[in-house]
Amino acid sequence: FEMSASVSCMHGNIAKSSPCLNEIICHVKAFDDSLMASSLLVKLLAASSKFDEAITNCLVVLGNLGEQFPTDVSPTGAVNELSVVIETLLENNITRERFKLLPPMTNKTKINAMKFMNMAGQYSLISRPMLLPLLGCRMLRLTMQFGFCDDSIVGLATVGYSCFTFKENTELGSHIANVCEALIKESPNEHLLRSRVCNILVLFHIFTQPIATVMAQLPIMYESSKLAGDMLSATKARSSCCIVVFYSGAENLQNLSKHFAM
């Protein structure tokens, strides 16, 4: 069932993959054996634009993994949590070298939790933005406590974006984004990581970087997302490119139509 569901998801066959995933989740004997099916189900819901339902499924899995999140997040609660984590980061010196010195994360439960927080964060950007800083902060807390993994970079990028949107601290947000870029470039999973942080960094760069810098970065994010098989992020990067070109007047409308065609 799991193999059939995976192949169906790759081909975008929602009608076939959904029953297979439900069959696995309903009859699985061990919780760990359901994680792959739960992950595919979340992606399936997101592909169907059911982002809120996808987030809810992520939070249920995270609760079973020992990571509880509130259903309703107030702006004050989000800012308070973010302030505490920012203070911790500043005390521990936010640099590429600092994160590279951390031991690798080996706790499988926490690694799985990081994966589901990563997915929840991607969709929270669309459906539940107040949840986003809580997810980023929790990912960094786990990183400091249990070690570094690829999703630690996603958590760091999320906190950087939240610094800008919730705290209006552009300087710190930009510094964190630069640390993320350095860590991504050194990772053997560079394309996969770029696709994971694409939605967050695209928005951040559009608001904080010169147009020329943004236009140079968006094609890289687009190609990385395609290579990683993440067409949602690739579409986001391409559509953002079109929006930046249109509002900046960098190209005429005839050239702009080529971007949409791609």
Side-chain angles (χ1 to χ4, degrees):
F1 279 110
E2 189 172 285
M3 187 176 294
S4 176
S6 299
V7 173
S8 298
C9 284
M10 290 177 188
H11 288 280
N13 190 341
I14 295 174
K16 184 177 180 181
S17 56
S18 183
C20 291
L21 294 173
N22 288 326
E23 192 73 18
I24 295 169
I25 294 171
C26 288
H27 295 90
V28 71
K29 293 182 179 180
F31 173 71
D32 286 353
D33 295 336
S34 70
L35 291 175
M36 176 60 78
S38 296
S39 172
L40 290 173
L41 181 59
V42 167
K43 293 176 182 178
L44 179 67
L45 290 168
S48 305
S49 298
K50 297 178 181 178
F51 297 109
D52 198 66
E53 193 174 341
I55 295 169
T56 299
N57 278 30
C58 282
L59 296 183
V60 170
V61 174
L62 285 167
N64 290 324
L65 289 169
E67 303 297 331
Q68 300 287 343
F69 288 89
T71 52
D72 294 319
V73 185
S74 67
T76 303
V79 170
N80 289 342
E81 177 70 12
L82 189 60
S83 298
V84 173
V85 169
I86 288 174
E87 186 177 345
T88 303
L89 285 174
L90 291 174
E91 289 175 355
N92 286 276
N93 192 14
I94 317 169
T95 62
R96 176 192 67 83
E97 292 77 12
R98 174 70 180 86
F99 279 91
K100 295 293 286 185
L101 287 174
L102 291 172
M105 187 179 290
T106 56
N107 186 308
K108 291 185 179 179
T109 299
K110 300 306 177 185
I111 290 173
N112 285 323
M114 293 286 280
K115 290 178 180 178
F116 277 89
M117 281 189 277
N118 169 31
M119 287 190 290
Q122 292 183 48
Y123 311 136
S124 293
L125 197 63
I126 301 168
S127 182
R128 297 190 203 176
M130 289 296 167
L131 183 61
L132 196 63
L134 268 64
L135 291 164
C137 290
R138 186 72 60 84
M139 292 173 84
L140 282 190
R141 287 182 188 277
L142 292 184
T143 297
M144 295 300 181
Q145 186 176 356
F146 294 96
F148 184 84
C149 65
D150 281 348
D151 287 313
S152 299
I153 301 175
V154 180
L156 186 62
T158 304
V159 169
Y161 175 77
S162 299
C163 285
F164 172 69
T165 54
F166 286 85
K167 300 281 288 181
E168 298 183 359
N169 192 332
T170 306
E171 183 179 355
L172 179 59
S174 297
H175 173 67
I176 293 175
N178 290 334
V179 173
C180 289
E181 289 284 357
L183 291 169
I184 289 172
K185 286 179 181 178
E186 294 180 357
S187 172
N189 300 316
E190 178 181 354
H191 295 302
L192 180 60
L193 282 170
R194 284 198 186 281
S195 72
R196 288 180 180 177
V197 300
C198 176
N199 293 338
I200 292 173
L201 290 186
V202 161
L203 287 173
F204 184 76
H205 289 325
I206 287 175
F207 289 127
T208 61
Q209 301 289 336
I211 294 298
T213 303
V214 176
M215 289 301 297
Q217 291 169 337
L218 288 174
I220 297 173
M221 292 184 179
Y222 173 69
E223 291 299 332
S224 289
S225 297
K226 281 207 310 181
L227 288 171
D230 187 349
M231 296 314 296
L232 184 64
S233 295
T235 303
K236 175 66 177 179
R238 175 57 68 184
S239 62
S240 297
C241 185
C242 296
I243 291 169
V244 172
V245 168
F246 179 80
Y247 282 105
S248 66
E251 299 181 23
N252 60 42
L253 293 179
Q254 185 175 0
N255 288 337
L256 178 61
S257 65
K258 296 177 182 178
H259 287 287
F260 280 104
M262 294 174 69

